[in-house]
Amino acid sequence: MRLKLATIITCAASLFNASAADTYTPTPENMQSRKEFREAGLGIFIHWGIYSMFGQNEWYLNRGINAQEYAKAASGFYPANFDAAQWVKTFKDAGAEYICFTTRHHDGFSMWDTEQSDYNIVDATPFKRDILREISDECHKQGMRLHLYYSHLDWTRPDYPKGRTGLETGRDSTYSDWPTYYKFMNAQLTELLTQYGEIGAIWFDGLWDHDEDSIPFNWELEEQYALIHRLQPSCLIGNNHHSTPFEGEDIQIFERDLPGENTFGLSGQDISHLPLETCLTMNKSWGYNVKDLDYIPSDELIKSFVRTAGKGANLLLNVGPQPNGEIPAEARKGLAEIGNWLKTYAPTIKGTDAAEFAEQDWGVATRKDNTLYIHVLDPDVTEVTIPVSKKKIKSAVGFTSRDKINFKATKDGASSTIDLSTIEKNGPDRVIELTTK
């Protein structure tokens, strides 16, 4: 994940070969994966690597740290309390349908037993266990989809062409060998897609490291995307480049903002027709930060989750495991509370679409066939007006109580008002179920 960088990618079209527009046709398997992705609702993002040992986020190496000195941390990385089965169970109990695991972040360290570099969890650490293998096995065992994060940039390898980050790691800034680095990446992606079973998606973390180049940098995405789709036709591709999706991409990613919003400064792109995903983190950090105990209260997380669904998107909620392999206690607590809420309200979120009207001052709505779920997130309102006329509403009931609720048409007949006086305020979200014609 990147830090808050305000620069917007320019000349995005030149980054992708125009011929790709004529060559990529999603397979039936891919279209089915898109459908299942749209219905998932919630995923868990995992930022974990040797950077967790420093307790200062996943961008620690970018702070003027020498890469060779940083790499020595691998020899002490021994996450004795890591338990893949417990991880997957925790995320499953939270109501998540998929996990997105960071296989290789910008520091270049691989969290699987790759043959392309000794700088990996098996060869470079005393732990000697393939973390990804254990997570993959548990995901398949427990029925959890597995997505894989993979960074296009690398602050340690000399062949990666110098961009605008990771400039003080001790690399030779005058040397680069893009063909070798590109071959290395594709060899690693081939390992990930042929040795770890079915992979739901490859999650790339953007192209922003070269967005200030005087000559637009060619990442050769068309060939790489084709490789992924060839190895696993059902595998989805997303790229966190903060632009409208390129041909060959199957999902659209928004970072720290909901689709259509840009309060954080990274998500000003248009909303596409592709399945949507918003990634948020439970505190202010992606990787483990020993100082960051500012976790978002569970009620606020649930509201963000509901608002995300109201935009027709999945929420990819991040946790940063500790260096010992444990999920932080506050993160576990928040996940458990989301899971408890979903035990009741999952039908109003999972498998739904965004309503035909935009977010309102009082909250959002989701739709499943002829049913509208009105999610009232403002605890103070006593009635809500929705852009659906009374003629289109057959009935209105409290989702949990099943008690009938009064509603009436507005004066112009174009909308309806719903009385909330009989709806209990027993959580962050009051839900009304409308049956429409």
Side-chain angles (χ1 to χ4, degrees):
M1 187 58 57
R2 60 171 292 176
L3 298 176
K4 184 176 180 181
L5 297 169
T7 304
I8 304 299
I9 293 177
T10 57
C11 301
S14 64
L15 297 174
F16 196 87
N17 191 319
S19 65
D22 300 323
T23 58
Y24 178 58
T25 301
T27 63
E29 299 98 319
N30 187 280
M31 296 302 292
Q32 178 62 27
S33 289
R34 294 185 187 190
K35 177 179 181 298
E36 294 171 358
F37 180 85
R38 287 182 191 274
E39 297 173 349
L42 180 65
I44 301 298
F45 214 171
I46 304 169
H47 275 72
W48 194 38
I50 61 172
Y51 45 79
S52 66
M53 298 179 67
F54 300 97
Q56 299 185 56
N57 297 329
E58 74 290 350
W59 271 56
Y60 178 67
L61 180 57
N62 190 55
R63 302 177 186 178
I65 309 299
N66 181 276
Q68 292 184 353
E69 292 300 310
Y70 174 91
K72 293 176 182 178
S75 65
F77 189 45
Y78 196 92
N81 295 344
F82 169 69
D83 185 338
Q86 187 59 52
W87 273 26
V88 176
K89 183 180 185 302
T90 297
F91 303 146
K92 193 171 184 179
D93 288 347
E97 300 291 339
Y98 62 97
I99 293 170
C100 186
F101 180 73
T102 49
T103 62
R104 175 174 166 270
H105 208 268
H106 313 330
D107 66 350
F109 185 79
S110 298
M111 292 292 283
W112 80 97
D113 188 16
T114 178
E115 296 181 359
Q116 310 310 316
S117 168
D118 292 337
Y119 194 39
N120 68 68
I121 186 67
V122 174
D123 295 323
T125 79
F127 196 56
K128 302 298 180 186
R129 286 161 52 185
D130 188 335
I131 293 286
L132 180 58
R133 172 73 60 200
E134 295 181 29
I135 292 174
S136 173
D137 288 347
E138 277 302 322
C139 282
H140 295 132
K141 180 179 178 180
Q142 296 191 40
M144 180 78 73
R145 288 185 176 273
L146 178 60
H147 297 187
L148 302 179
Y149 169 111
Y150 188 88
S151 173
H152 268 116
L153 61 147
D154 192 310
W155 293 330
T156 61
R157 288 182 62 93
D159 50 2
Y160 172 72
K162 179 179 70 72
R164 61 178 173 85
T165 60
L167 301 181
E168 299 178 41
T169 65
R171 292 186 302 152
D172 182 354
S173 61
T174 65
Y175 173 80
S176 70
D177 186 350
W178 170 252
T180 297
Y181 182 72
Y182 185 67
K183 181 179 179 181
F184 159 78
M185 286 197 299
N186 287 340
Q188 284 207 317
L189 288 167
T190 298
E191 288 180 348
L192 294 173
L193 290 164
T194 58
Q195 298 178 17
Y196 294 90
E198 183 178 356
I199 302 302
I202 296 293
W203 204 101
F204 291 119
D205 200 4
L207 313 174
W208 39 265
D209 197 44
H210 282 278
D211 61 7
E212 295 179 356
D213 290 10
S214 58
I215 300 175
F217 189 81
N218 182 8
W219 294 87
E220 300 184 68
L221 295 180
E222 64 277 9
E223 181 180 333
Q224 195 168 70
Y225 288 179
L227 171 69
I228 293 168
H229 287 136
R230 184 165 62 251
L231 292 172
Q232 290 204 27
S234 64
C235 183
L236 305 175
I237 295 174
N239 199 324
N240 189 35
H241 47 52
H242 310 132
S243 296
T244 52
F246 303 153
E247 289 292 331
E249 295 171 6
D250 306 297
I251 61 175
Q252 184 175 11
I253 299 166
F254 297 83
E255 181 178 344
R256 293 185 185 264
D257 268 308
L258 304 189
E261 299 180 3
N262 194 24
T263 59
F264 196 72
L266 299 175
S267 300
Q269 67 268 42
D270 292 336
I271 301 172
S272 73
H273 67 282
L274 296 176
L276 309 177
E277 178 185 78
T278 284
C279 57
L280 301 175
T281 191
M282 298 183 73
N283 50 6
K284 295 180 178 179
S285 307
W286 298 97
Y288 176 65
N289 187 331
V290 69
K291 293 183 178 181
D292 186 2
L293 299 179
D294 190 14
Y295 282 82
I296 300 171
S298 58
D299 279 5
E300 293 304 312
L301 286 175
I302 289 169
K303 286 182 179 181
S304 293
F305 183 23
V306 171
R307 291 186 63 233
T308 304
K311 298 282 189 177
N314 290 347
L315 175 62
L316 182 61
L317 187 60
N318 180 75
V319 298
Q322 298 167 177
N324 67 355
E326 293 181 1
I327 304 299
E330 283 298 313
R332 294 199 308 270
K333 178 184 176 183
L335 291 172
E337 291 174 352
I338 292 173
N340 287 334
W341 183 84
L342 276 172
K343 288 177 181 177
T344 299
Y345 295 102
T348 73
I349 298 291
K350 294 187 178 184
T352 65
D353 296 314
E356 55 270 31
F357 53 90
E359 181 172 1
Q360 306 292 303
D361 291 340
W362 45 260
V364 299
T366 55
R367 176 178 283 282
K368 185 182 295 181
D369 299 324
N370 292 327
T371 303
L372 268 177
Y373 298 106
I374 306 301
H375 295 267
V376 184
L377 303 177
D378 185 339
D380 298 322
V381 299
T382 57
E383 70 174 20
V384 298
T385 299
I386 60 172
V388 178
S389 70
K390 183 177 180 180
K391 291 181 180 180
K392 295 180 181 179
I393 302 174
K394 294 174 64 177
S395 65
V397 298
F399 179 73
T400 55
S401 69
R402 312 312 294 173
D403 293 336
K404 290 185 178 180
I405 296 175
N406 294 324
F407 61 95
K408 61 182 179 181
T410 56
K411 289 183 179 180
D412 61 8
S415 304
S416 295
T417 59
I418 300 175
D419 179 17
L420 301 179
S421 60
T422 61
I423 302 295
E424 294 184 5
K425 298 180 181 180
N426 58 357
D429 181 17
R430 288 178 284 171
V431 183
I432 301 160
E433 181 180 312
L434 303 183
T435 302
T436 60
K437 298 180 181 179

